Amino acid sequence: VARTDVRIADISVDGAFVDAMTVLPPGTIAQLRFKARDHEFALAAEVRYSMPAMGMGVRFLDVSEPERAALAALVAEHS
């Protein structure tokens, strides 16, 4: 499985928009790993839509309560 560096442009507790030149097709399950606010996230996400050469919208899957709380704090900080 290839690793690709991307930028998360918009994030919520339920998902994110991922800026990426190369996108995955809708329905693909991907693993997202990123660090924010001194927390390392490792989340499974389903690609919901793709925009070639722009990015893709993803929905987080099976988020634990501690991860959800960390995401909520991150979102609140940037709102």
Side-chain angles (χ1 to χ4, degrees):
V1 175
R3 178 176 180 252
T4 303
D5 290 325
V6 298
R7 179 178 173 270
I8 296 177
D10 189 19
I11 191 165
S12 74
V13 295
D14 297 314
F17 185 81
V18 179
D19 286 339
M21 291 301 292
T22 303
V23 296
L24 300 170
T28 301
I29 305 299
Q31 293 295 319
L32 297 181
R33 296 179 190 277
F34 59 96
K35 186 174 182 177
R37 297 188 74 240
D38 297 324
H39 185 88
E40 292 198 26
F41 293 91
L43 303 168
E46 177 187 8
V47 177
R48 302 294 290 160
Y49 65 92
S50 295
M51 299 167 53
M54 292 185 71
M56 54 199 148
V58 300
R59 178 177 59 96
F60 300 138
L61 303 172
D62 303 321
V63 181
S64 68
E65 283 306 314
E67 294 280 35
R68 183 169 292 281
L71 282 168
L74 177 63
V75 169
E77 182 179 295
H78 290 90
S79 294

